[in-house]
Amino acid sequence: MGNLLQIVYLDASFAVRVGRSGTPAQAVAAKDEIKMSRGAHQVAALADHVIDNSGSIAALRARLQRIAAPPISTALRVTTPYGLGLPAAVAASTADFTDAVRAYGPGVRLIALTGSPGEGAWIAGWPDLDLLVIAEHEATGRIQEALDQYRADLSDTATLGPTLVTPGELTAGRLTPRLAFALHQLQQGQPVLHAAPDVELPTVTRDELALAAVRELPQVILIMRRLRTHAGPGTLRQLYKHLVLACRLLLREHDQWQSGPDRILAAASRMPGLNAFSVPSLAEISTAWRDGGSENTLEPVVAAVDQFLAWYAAQLAA
C-alpha cells in the first residue's frame, strides 16, 4: 500500500491505562507482559506517528483527523468590502472591522463574508451579514471588541451574524454543516477579506456536503415547524429563509447544486410528489418586508411551508 498505509502508535502511561481499564493494576500488567512478549513495544520504533493518548477522546480524534486528512494551503481570492456590491455604509463599516482585526497579527488567519454578500447578491434590508473569522483562541477577546464596534457602526442597516472558529477546530474536522459549506464556497472561489499567507483549510468535498445536508435538514425542519406555529408578518423573513434552506439541503442530498432562492424553490418543486410552490419571487418578498407590507406575501409563504412539511412527513412515513 506504500504511503497509503500509516502506522499510528498510541501511548499512555501505566497509571492512565489502569484508570481507564476498570481492572486491578495486576491485570493490566499481566496483559502488558503478553503484548510485550509478542513485540508490541517494538511497533513504536516503526510507527509513522506516535501519539500521547493520555488526554481526551476529542484530542485523540483531532490528531487522527489531521493524519487521515491533513489540511492544505488554499489559494484564496482576496477582495475588499467595496468589491462585494454592499451599500457604501456597510462596506465602510466592514472595511474598518477588517483593518482592525487584521492588525491583531498572525493569530488572525482569515476574515470573510459568506452567504449573500460573498455571492454578490446583496439586497438592502433583507440578508444577514454572515461573517466568518478564523483566529487563534487567544485573540477572541479583542475580536469581540471589534465586533461590538462593527455592530454599532452598522446600526440598523444590517444584522450581523458572526462565526468565530479556531484553526485547530477546522483541521480537527469539527465543522457544522453550514461552516463546511462556507469553507467549500471559499475553495470554489468565493472571495475573502483577509487571508494569512500560509492559511490552511480542510478540503470539503461535495460528497461531504451531501452527508452534512442529511444531518442538518432534520434540525431545519424542526425550526420551520416552530416558526409555523406562530406565523405572522414578523416571521415572514425567517419562514421564507428556512423554506429555501430546507429545499437547498434536500437538493444537495440529491446531488443538485442550485444557488439563489428563486432557482432553489423552482428546482425543489420538481422533486417526485412535490408540486410547484406558488411563492412570490425573492425581489417581491424582500420589497414587501422592507416596506412593511409582509401581510401581502405571508399567506403564500405559509402555504408553501405547509406544503413542504406535509410532503416531507409523507416521504418519511413508516
Side-chain angles (χ1 to χ4, degrees):
M1 295 180 67
N3 292 333
L4 293 177
L5 175 63
Q6 298 187 63
I7 300 174
V8 180
Y9 185 90
L10 305 184
D11 195 13
S13 69
F14 181 75
V16 169
R17 291 186 289 113
V18 169
R20 290 174 174 172
S21 71
T23 59
Q26 296 88 338
V28 177
K31 289 183 178 179
D32 283 355
E33 289 185 11
I34 295 173
K35 294 175 183 177
M36 292 178 67
S37 71
R38 297 172 179 171
H41 59 295
Q42 298 174 356
V43 175
L46 304 173
D48 299 290
H49 307 273
V50 177
I51 296 178
D52 178 4
N53 190 30
S54 58
S56 67
I57 291 178
L60 172 61
R61 288 176 174 169
R63 289 290 303 275
L64 295 176
Q65 175 68 22
R66 294 186 184 103
I67 292 171
I72 60 172
S73 296
T74 306
L76 299 170
R77 182 163 66 94
V78 181
T79 188
T80 70
Y82 299 98
L84 297 178
L86 301 172
V90 176
S93 300
T94 304
D96 290 344
F97 170 82
T98 302
D99 291 342
V101 174
R102 184 165 45 202
Y104 296 161
V108 178
R109 313 301 293 158
L110 183 143
I111 305 170
L113 289 179
T114 61
S116 298
E119 295 170 355
W122 177 269
I123 299 176
W126 179 257
D128 294 323
L129 205 57
D130 295 322
L131 174 73
L132 171 62
V133 178
I134 302 173
E136 300 294 348
H137 178 70
E138 292 73 19
T140 301
R142 299 182 69 187
I143 292 172
Q144 185 59 57
E145 294 176 1
L147 285 171
D148 291 342
Q149 184 61 53
Y150 191 13
R151 285 193 183 91
D153 292 342
L154 289 171
S155 186
D156 297 329
T157 58
T159 301
L160 183 63
T163 296
L164 307 182
V165 61
T166 67
E169 290 171 64
L170 297 185
T171 58
R174 296 292 176 124
L175 310 178
T176 65
R178 294 192 185 191
L179 179 55
F181 182 67
L183 294 175
H184 179 76
Q185 291 293 85
L186 298 183
Q187 293 165 357
Q188 296 301 306
Q190 186 167 307
V192 302
L193 302 176
H194 165 70
D198 56 347
V199 63
E200 293 183 330
L201 301 177
T203 300
V204 181
T205 67
R206 280 197 170 191
D207 287 343
E208 289 170 331
L209 288 181
L211 291 174
V214 175
R215 296 194 299 269
E216 186 179 10
L217 183 55
Q219 179 65 27
V220 174
I221 295 295
L222 293 179
I223 295 174
M224 282 177 63
R225 288 201 180 100
R226 185 171 69 229
L227 291 168
R228 176 63 183 89
T229 61
H230 53 85
T235 64
L236 170 66
R237 183 170 173 270
Q238 287 300 313
L239 271 172
Y240 177 80
K241 287 196 167 192
H242 279 81
L243 173 64
V244 172
L245 178 57
C247 290
R248 173 179 251 175
L249 295 173
L250 180 69
L251 290 170
R252 282 186 206 163
E253 189 175 352
H254 290 78
D255 198 28
Q256 297 183 44
W257 300 81
Q258 293 288 343
S259 61
D262 294 334
R263 290 191 295 272
I264 288 170
L265 293 179
S269 68
R270 294 190 289 270
M271 296 295 295
L274 184 57
N275 297 325
F277 298 116
S278 298
V279 179
S281 68
L282 171 60
E284 295 174 275
I285 293 177
S286 60
T287 298
W289 171 263
R290 185 176 60 247
D291 297 343
S294 299
E295 298 87 351
N296 300 327
T297 54
L298 177 64
E299 184 176 345
V301 170
V302 170
V305 167
D306 289 342
Q307 180 183 341
F308 182 89
L309 291 175
W311 176 86
Y312 185 77
Q315 297 302 302
L316 303 185

